[in-house]
Amino acid sequence: MNRFHFMLLCVLVAAAMLTYALLNPEPANGHGVSHARFAAMRQGGSAARHEGMLVAGWCYGTAQLVFFALCLPLGLKRDDQATSSPRRWFLAVTLAYVVTFTMVLICYALGMDEPLLSPFWDIPWATCWSVFGMWIVPLLYTVLYLWRFPDWVFTSEDQQRFQEIKRRFGRDACDG
Amino acid sequence: MDRNSLILGCVAIYMLSCIVIGLWAMTRTKSSHDFFMASRSLGFFVTGVAIFSSIMSGFGFVGGPGLVYAMGSSSLWILVSAPIGLALGFFLLGKRLRLLAELRDSVSLPDLAHARYQSRWVRLLVAVAILFGVITYLSVQIKAMALVLQEIFARNEIWGHESLFLCVCVSSVLLAFYCVTGGIIASVYTDVFQGLVMIAVAVLVFLTALASVEGGLAECVRTIQHDDAEAAGPWGTMGILGCLSWFFVFAFGSLGQPHVITKMMMSRRVEDVRFTAPLTMTGYVLTALLWISIGMVMRTHVLNGQHPDLSRADDAAAEFLYSYASPLLAGLTFAGLFAAIMSTADGFLNVGAAAVVHDIPQAIKGRSLRQELLWARIATGGLTILAAWFALASPDLVGILGTYGWGVFSAALAPCIGIGLNWKRATAFACIVSVLLSMLINAVAFALQLQGIFIPYGVSPGAVALLVSLLSFVLISLLSNPEPLAPDVDAVMDL
C-alpha cells in the first residue's frame, strides 16, 4: 500500500463515521436549540446528547488528522518524501496532534456530568485542550516548513533544475 | 466632535485612503497580466499580509463574533483549523503553484489546472466552480459591510435601520470602484494597509473587551457556563459532529480558496514562501483575537442583563464597539472591519473576473477575449451586482453564509488543485467528476436549506461535498490508467 491508499482509507473512515452518526436519530438538542430567553442565542443543553457519539467523533476527527499528515509530505522534494528524517519529524508532530485531540474527548467524557475546570481562567479542561492544544500543536508543521525549507522543500539545486526546465521547454513546447 | 461623528470620520478617512490607493494602482496597471497577477512582483511581506487579510474577512470580523455570540465555542473549531489549513496550503501549494505559474506564465488557477490536466473541460469546470463560489462568498462580504454601514448610518441619523438595500448599494459601489480601477495591484497594496489596521485593532479590541467585564475572561467563562455548560464546552451549542465538519472544511478546504492561493502565485521568488508562511500564520492568530473576544463578551453582557438582547447575532461586533469601546478605538475598529471585508472581496472580484474574461473563453474558444483588461473591469462590476443581489436575497447569518461559501470552494477545488498538483497519477476525468459532484451536492444542499431542510447534527454541507469529492477524486485516479503529463509540468512536479 502506498501513501494514496492510506489517504483513501482515511477518507473512507471519515465518511463511514459520518454516515454512521447521521444514521442515528438526532436528539432534540443534537446541534443546539434556541435560547429560552434570548432571541439570537442558542443553547446546547445537556452533554448527554453526545452519548454514543464520542467514539464515532474520535474516529472521524483522528481520520482527518492522519489524512492531513499524509498530505503534508506531498509538498516536499520528491526525493525527500520517503526518507527517514522528514518522516520522523512529521510522525512526531502528528502523534502530538492526535494525542491532543484525544485529550479533548477524554476530558469532555470525564466531565459530562460536571465539567472539569482548569486553573486557566476556569475554562473547562476539554475546551483548554481544544483551544490551546489544537491551535498550537499544528504550528509545529509551520516551524518545520520554515526551518527545513532549504533542505526538504526547495534547494539551490532545485532552483538550477527549474531554470534548466524553463530553458529546455520554451513557451511553444509548453502549450502542447 | 461626538462619538458617532468620530466613528463616521474614521470610516470616511479609511474609505478615501482605499480610493486613493485604487487610483494610484490604476496608473501601474497596464495589462491584464498586471490586473490579475501583479506581474509576480510581490515580496514576502506583502504576500504574507495579503494572504492572511484575505482569509480574515467580513466572515471573520462580523460573522465570527456573531457565531460565538450565538453558539458559544463551536466556531472556535474554524479558528483552530487555521494553523493546519495554512500548513497544508504552504506545504502543498506554496512552491508548486509558484513554479508552475512562472513556467506557464499563468494568470489564474484554471490556467494552472489546464496545464496540469491538459483538459479544456477541467479548465471550464474549475472556472465555473470559482464563479459559483465567488458569488456566494462575495455576497457574504457585501452583506457584512452593509450591516455595519447600516448601524453607522442609523446612529448618525443619516439613514434608518430599514436601509439595508441602500447600504448594500453603497458597499457594492465602493468595492467595485477600487477593484475596477486598480485590479490586483490595488487589491494587494490595500491588503497590506488593511492587514496592518486589522492586527492593531484586533489586539486593542481583545484587551478592551476583556476589560469591559468585571472579572475578565474567567467571569465570561463562568457566566456562559452557568447559563449553559455546553456553550462553554469544546463543542459549543453545535455539538461534536458539526464542529468537526467545520474543522475539516476549513482545514483541508484552505487548499481550494482561490482568493488565497492565487496570491501564492504572485511572489517575486519561489524561496519567499518560506517566510510568507509564518507571517501569514502570525497575522491570522492575532486577528482571531477579535473574533473570540467580542462574541464571548457580548454573550456575557447579555446573559448578565448588562446589555439588551440582540435581535441579530451579526450585530454583536457593531453593538460592542458602540457600547464598550472608546470612540477612537471604535472608529479605528470599524475601519478595520471594512478592511477585513474589502481585502477579501477584492480578491474574489479578481479571481471571478479572471474566470469570466480569461478562463471560460479560453476553455470554450481556445483564446481569451480581445481587450481583456477592459472586459476584466466590466466583469468586476457585473459580478459585484450579482453578489449584491444574492446578499439581499439570502436570509442567513453572515457566519453561516460564510461557511457555505468556503465549503463551495473547498469541495470543488481542494482535491483537484491541492492533491492534483502534487500527484502525477491524478487524472482529468477524476477531476471533472469530483468538481461536478461537489457543485451538485452544494447546490442541492443550498436548495434544501432554503426549504428549511438541514443535514442532522449541524453537519456542514461543505464537509459532505468535500468528502464525496475527495473520495471520487482519489478512487477514480487510482482505478484509472495513468495519463501522460505535459513534459514541462512533469519535470516541475519532480522538484
Side-chain angles (χ1 to χ4, degrees):
Chain A
M1 276 178 65
N2 68 19
R3 175 187 309 280
F4 292 94
H5 292 108
F6 280 114
M7 281 164 58
L8 182 64
L9 187 68
C10 290
V11 180
L12 280 170
V13 170
M17 286 303 129
L18 198 59
T19 310
Y20 160 78
L22 292 178
L23 289 176
N24 281 307
E26 186 181 10
N29 60 343
H31 61 284
V33 290
S34 297
H35 199 286
R37 286 186 296 147
F38 303 107
M41 245 185 240
R42 294 181 70 78
Q43 284 180 305
S46 160
R49 65 186 174 144
H50 283 127
E51 267 172 18
M53 200 55 73
L54 292 182
V55 174
W58 181 83
C59 294
Y60 179 44
T62 304
Q64 289 180 29
L65 301 183
V66 176
F67 174 74
F68 300 154
L70 287 167
C71 287
L72 286 167
L74 289 175
L76 303 185
K77 285 169 40 178
R78 283 282 166 256
D79 323 337
D80 263 2
Q81 284 185 13
T83 57
S84 60
S85 175
R87 189 181 278 186
R88 258 203 313 267
W89 283 103
F90 279 111
L91 193 65
V93 178
T94 306
L95 203 61
Y97 207 9
V98 172
V99 167
T100 306
F101 179 63
T102 308
M103 288 307 294
V104 176
L105 280 135
I106 290 176
C107 292
Y108 181 75
L110 292 175
M112 276 177 109
D113 296 328
E114 185 66 42
L116 309 172
L117 301 185
S118 74
F120 310 108
W121 304 283
D122 284 351
I123 300 172
W125 268 115
T127 313
C128 261
W129 280 102
S130 74
V131 174
F132 301 119
M134 293 295 286
W135 207 347
I136 291 167
V137 172
L139 289 176
L140 295 174
Y141 289 125
T142 305
V143 172
L144 284 181
Y145 190 75
L146 180 68
W147 176 37
R148 303 309 299 266
F149 185 91
D151 307 317
W152 292 355
V153 184
F154 196 66
T155 61
S156 46
E157 293 91 69
D158 290 334
Q159 179 65 272
Q160 285 167 3
R161 279 172 67 191
F162 179 60
Q163 295 306 328
E164 199 182 305
I165 292 168
K166 277 196 345 183
R167 271 195 301 275
R168 214 167 94 213
F169 301 96
R171 186 72 188 91
D172 297 337
C174 296
D175 289 335
Chain B
M1 191 183 257
D2 69 9
R3 182 184 186 86
N4 291 333
S5 312
L6 188 62
I7 291 172
L8 188 64
C10 286
V11 171
I13 291 170
Y14 167 77
M15 298 291 186
L16 280 174
S17 315
C18 286
I19 289 171
V20 170
I21 293 175
L23 290 170
W24 166 78
M26 189 161 74
T27 63
R28 293 188 53 180
T29 305
K30 310 279 187 223
S31 67
S32 57
H33 202 270
D34 293 337
F35 191 87
F36 295 128
M37 275 291 115
S39 301
R40 271 194 300 281
S41 60
L42 308 180
F44 79 89
F45 182 80
V46 175
T47 315
V49 179
I51 290 177
F52 99 76
S53 59
S54 294
I55 305 173
M56 187 52 81
S57 59
F59 166 48
F61 266 37
V62 176
L67 286 176
V68 176
Y69 174 83
M71 299 179 176
S73 45
S74 304
S75 71
L76 299 189
W77 286 91
I78 296 176
L79 294 178
V80 301
S81 71
I84 181 68
L86 287 170
L88 281 164
F90 280 102
F91 267 102
L92 268 66
L93 295 176
K95 170 184 75 176
R96 206 77 68 197
L97 274 181
R98 177 61 185 74
L99 290 177
L100 286 170
E102 183 175 339
L103 184 73
R104 288 297 186 104
D105 201 20
S106 306
V107 300
S108 68
L109 220 46
D111 261 356
L112 286 184
H114 179 250
R116 162 64 185 82
Y117 294 103
Q118 299 187 88
S119 158
R120 280 191 184 188
W121 278 104
V122 168
R123 173 180 246 161
L124 180 67
L125 281 174
V126 169
V128 170
I130 285 177
L131 264 185
F132 189 46
V134 159
I135 300 295
T136 322
Y137 216 132
L138 188 59
S139 71
V140 177
Q141 312 307 323
I142 291 178
K143 190 166 187 174
M145 193 164 164
L147 286 172
V148 178
L149 269 182
Q150 188 185 27
E151 191 63 35
I152 293 174
F153 286 155
R155 300 247 182 184
N156 282 279
E157 295 173 357
I158 297 172
W159 285 326
H161 268 110
E162 65 287 350
S163 61
L164 189 64
F165 174 77
L166 287 172
C167 293
V168 165
C169 293
V170 171
S171 312
S172 308
V173 167
L174 199 73
L175 272 179
F177 175 79
Y178 94 116
C179 292
V180 166
T181 48
I184 199 68
I185 296 181
S187 167
V188 289
Y189 282 98
T190 44
D191 279 357
V192 173
F193 170 58
Q194 290 157 347
L196 298 176
V197 172
M198 281 156 66
I199 290 178
V201 300
V203 174
L204 289 173
V205 164
F206 177 72
L207 299 173
T208 308
L210 294 185
S212 78
V213 179
E214 202 175 320
L217 181 57
E219 180 56 28
C220 289
V221 176
R222 273 194 294 270
T223 305
I224 294 171
Q225 193 166 0
H226 179 71
D227 173 67
D228 176 30
E230 283 288 276
W235 320 113
T237 66
M238 175 91 128
I240 184 169
L241 288 180
C243 290
L244 290 177
S245 73
W246 273 353
F247 180 71
F248 184 50
V249 171
F250 280 85
F252 191 72
S254 60
L255 293 170
Q257 305 305 311
H259 60 300
V260 177
I261 57 179
T262 308
K263 294 203 166 91
M264 292 177 181
M265 295 158 65
M266 298 175 194
S267 58
R268 194 177 301 136
R269 299 179 321 141
V270 184
E271 304 88 296
D272 286 348
V273 287
R274 177 187 184 189
F275 301 105
T276 307
L279 192 69
T280 304
M281 198 79 79
T282 309
Y284 187 86
V285 168
L286 289 175
T287 46
L289 293 173
L290 184 143
W291 174 316
I292 303 170
S293 57
I294 288 187
M296 203 166 60
V297 163
M298 283 308 290
R299 189 166 172 121
T300 305
H301 283 317
V302 171
L303 287 172
N304 279 339
Q306 287 166 347
H307 194 94
D309 187 17
L310 303 183
S311 57
R312 290 183 304 210
D314 283 336
D315 290 340
E319 283 283 337
F320 170 82
L321 293 172
Y322 268 109
S323 308
Y324 302 102
S326 71
L328 187 60
L329 178 60
L332 284 174
T333 311
F334 273 116
L337 286 178
F338 287 114
I341 293 164
M342 292 167 78
S343 57
T344 305
D346 55 23
F348 283 123
L349 283 170
N350 193 262
V351 293
V356 174
V357 305
H358 178 79
D359 301 311
I360 294 177
Q362 280 275 7
I364 295 172
K365 295 183 192 162
R367 61 176 172 79
S368 306
L369 295 179
R370 288 193 184 89
Q371 293 189 296
E372 203 176 39
L373 180 58
L374 172 70
W375 283 110
R377 288 183 162 137
I378 293 171
T380 303
L383 284 172
T384 313
I385 294 171
L386 210 56
W389 169 80
F390 198 76
L392 284 167
S394 170
D396 283 323
L397 278 179
V398 169
I400 298 297
L401 203 56
T403 60
Y404 180 77
W406 186 280
V408 169
F409 282 133
S410 308
L413 303 178
C416 287
I417 303 293
I419 296 183
L421 291 186
N422 292 283
W423 187 29
K424 291 185 179 181
R425 176 93 192 242
T427 64
F429 181 64
C431 180
I432 290 168
V433 172
S434 74
V435 174
L436 280 176
L437 278 175
S438 72
M439 288 201 290
L440 182 71
I441 294 171
N442 272 313
V444 170
F446 190 70
L448 290 175
Q449 276 186 16
L450 289 179
Q451 305 297 317
I453 302 168
F454 296 89
I455 302 177
Y457 293 99
V459 169
S460 152
V464 177
L466 180 55
L467 269 178
V468 173
S469 158
L470 252 178
L471 207 54
S472 57
F473 181 76
V474 178
L475 198 60
I476 293 172
S477 295
L478 283 174
L479 294 176
S480 316
N481 289 324
E483 291 168 351
L485 302 174
D488 58 329
V489 174
D490 195 349
V492 164
M493 284 178 74
D494 276 333
L495 292 177

